[in-house]
Amino acid sequence: MSSSFSRRNFIAGTAAIAGVAAAGRANAQVGPAHGKVVDTQVFARLEEIGEGVWGVVSTPLNPDGSFNPAAVATLCNGGIIAGEEKVVAIDGSFQPAGAAWLAEQALKLTGRPVTDVIVTHFHADHSGGLAGYQNGATGPEIIATETTNNLIFERYAGARQTPEGAQFARPVIRPVMPTRIITDETSIPTMDLGGRTIRLHPLKGHTPSDMAIVVDDANVIFAGDLVWQGLFHNYVDAIPSHLTTSVEHLLADTSRTIVTGHGAIANAGDLGNYLELLRLVEEKARASFEAGKTPAEGAKEFTVPASLGNWLLFNPRYYETAFEAWRRELAGETS
Ligand SMILES: [Zn+2]
């Protein structure tokens, strides 16, 4: 890790050098809450966004736009959906302390422990903290698709990488692993929580398997890392054409409340710039590929127009990562 990298893990998405520090400061913290804030920690806040539905918004940034290593317990967003019988938590956090906090909140808010955890995708910042839901020998059912389950094993069996938080202590992925595997990734299973049914929608694009959770009676979608707000998407494992299709699907009903994977919770209708940004990346990456440029060369010429707002980078190489994902797809290296 170069010193410049570790000194500043987030840089502003705008290219103007003079504006980087100021833009970073102005956008270091996620925007105002969408719902009623019921708990605030240094690493996250929990918002009530419907009856029996709460969304986590992680806040890992210092005011200067850098990561705060003491504020990465959750690192990803997620939440709680309560029925009369089941209490579902969305995603596993980066560290067990994050999942333990969410489990404690669920107990406080519903009077019952978490019964099921749905893992949206394999990335360590969404699966590394699963052990935090465990209470001695007992714990909730951990639900994931077969692809997600396999990828957790494949990617984190040896040298563990943490796509959205590589500079922090590596999370211990095991021993808590998915216990209920969804093998048919083309159907949309439903879960009856008691008085409320949710839909588990298998999609892909951020990774080869991304689960969105739809709570129809509260008009809420937990989008996992398919949708980001104010932070430039991490394309490290992306299948970019599928990413766009999945996002179009998730944002189609503009009245929905979307719990993003990173950044603020927002109405689908207010997330249009995110989709525009994905389309702009596609346009520029295709042109770059057709001109025979490398992803690094293409990324160097890429800027986000001010009209799309500010998009911070978790990592200064993320434009290149995006162009590389498109190169892989255009070269026929991804299915
Ligand atoms: Zn991810």
Side-chain angles (χ1 to χ4, degrees), residues 272-278 280 302-311:
N273 280 353
Y274 173 68
L275 193 50
E276 286 307 308
L277 182 54
L278 297 185
L280 179 69
F302 182 77
T303 55
V304 178
S307 60
L308 293 183
N310 273 306
W311 294 84

Side-chain angles (χ1 to χ4, degrees), residues 23 38 44 49 68-69 104 107 130 164 227 244 285 297:
V38 296
I49 51 175
N68 176 0
E104 187 188 299
L107 190 59
L130 282 171
E164 284 124 16
V227 182
T244 304
E297 288 164 345

Side-chain angles (χ1 to χ4, degrees), residues 21 114 165 225 301:
V114 171
D225 274 3
E301 296 165 3

Side-chain angles (χ1 to χ4, degrees), residues 93-95 121-129 156 161-163 171 173:
S93 289
F94 180 57
Q95 297 173 340
H121 67 292
F122 79 93
H123 282 157
D125 54 325
H126 297 252
S127 61
Y156 303 123
Q161 61 181 59
T162 56
I173 298 291

Side-chain angles (χ1 to χ4, degrees), residues 9-329:
N9 297 313
F10 273 82
I11 65 168
T14 48
I17 301 300
V20 163
R25 254 193 306 280
N27 293 278
Q29 302 301 323
V30 290
H34 184 84
K36 180 187 163 214
V37 176
V38 296
D39 195 66
T40 304
Q41 301 289 328
V42 64
F43 54 81
R45 67 178 181 236
L46 188 62
E47 303 179 19
E48 185 178 8
I49 51 175
E51 199 184 331
V53 186
W54 296 268
V56 173
V57 175
S58 284
T59 52
L61 303 185
N62 285 312
D64 71 352
S66 62
F67 265 118
N68 176 0
V72 295
T74 47
L75 199 54
C76 69
N77 294 345
I80 302 163
I81 311 163
E84 287 159 14
E85 281 146 34
K86 289 180 184 285
V87 178
V88 174
I90 310 295
D91 267 334
S93 289
F94 180 57
Q95 297 173 340
W101 165 73
L102 194 58
E104 187 188 299
Q105 290 301 312
L107 190 59
K108 199 172 104 184
L109 293 162
T110 71
R112 285 165 295 138
V114 171
T115 56
D116 301 80
V117 180
I118 301 170
V119 182
T120 60
H121 67 292
F122 79 93
H123 282 157
D125 54 325
H126 297 252
S127 61
L130 282 171
Y133 289 113
Q134 208 68 11
N135 189 3
T138 60
E141 282 235 68
I142 313 282
I143 304 166
T145 65
E146 188 160 36
T147 303
T148 291
N149 182 61
N150 291 344
L151 284 167
I152 291 173
F153 271 104
E154 278 169 29
R155 299 293 187 89
Y156 303 123
R160 298 185 183 105
Q161 61 181 59
T162 56
E164 284 124 16
Q167 55 275 37
F168 301 108
R170 305 265 190 257
V172 178
I173 298 291
R174 295 174 182 182
V176 177
M177 294 293 292
T179 50
R180 199 193 313 164
I181 310 296
I182 296 171
T183 51
D184 178 2
E185 298 187 23
T186 60
S187 71
I188 302 175
T190 58
M191 263 179 84
D192 182 358
L193 310 189
R196 137 178 285 167
T197 299
I198 61 172
R199 292 186 283 139
L200 281 59
H201 201 144
L203 295 163
K204 57 180 160 182
H206 173 64
T207 69
S209 177
D210 299 283
M211 182 80 84
I213 296 90
V214 184
V215 191
D216 286 303
D217 63 56
N219 213 20
V220 169
I221 297 177
F222 289 86
D225 274 3
L226 289 167
V227 182
W228 294 37
Q229 166 60 16
L231 295 160
F232 188 83
H233 192 100
N234 177 7
Y235 283 74
V236 65
D237 295 304
I239 311 168
S241 63
H242 284 288
L243 174 62
T244 304
T245 310
S246 293
V247 172
E248 283 168 349
H249 176 78
L250 292 174
L251 303 185
D253 180 347
T254 55
S255 72
R256 296 272 194 188
T257 295
I258 306 290
V259 180
T260 60
H262 297 279
I265 295 171
N267 277 328
D270 295 328
L271 289 165
N273 280 353
Y274 173 68
L275 193 50
E276 286 307 308
L277 182 54
L278 297 185
R279 289 174 176 149
L280 179 69
V281 169
E282 173 172 2
E283 180 196 320
K284 299 297 183 188
R286 279 184 185 275
S288 165
F289 180 79
E290 279 155 24
K293 292 176 185 166
T294 65
E297 288 164 345
K300 221 174 196 172
E301 296 165 3
F302 182 77
T303 55
V304 178
S307 60
L308 293 183
N310 273 306
W311 294 84
L312 300 180
L313 294 161
F314 254 123
N315 178 314
R317 292 176 65 94
Y318 273 9
Y319 291 162
E320 185 180 342
T321 304
F323 277 62
E324 167 58 18
W326 270 109
R327 187 207 61 76
R328 280 197 309 269
E329 182 159 342

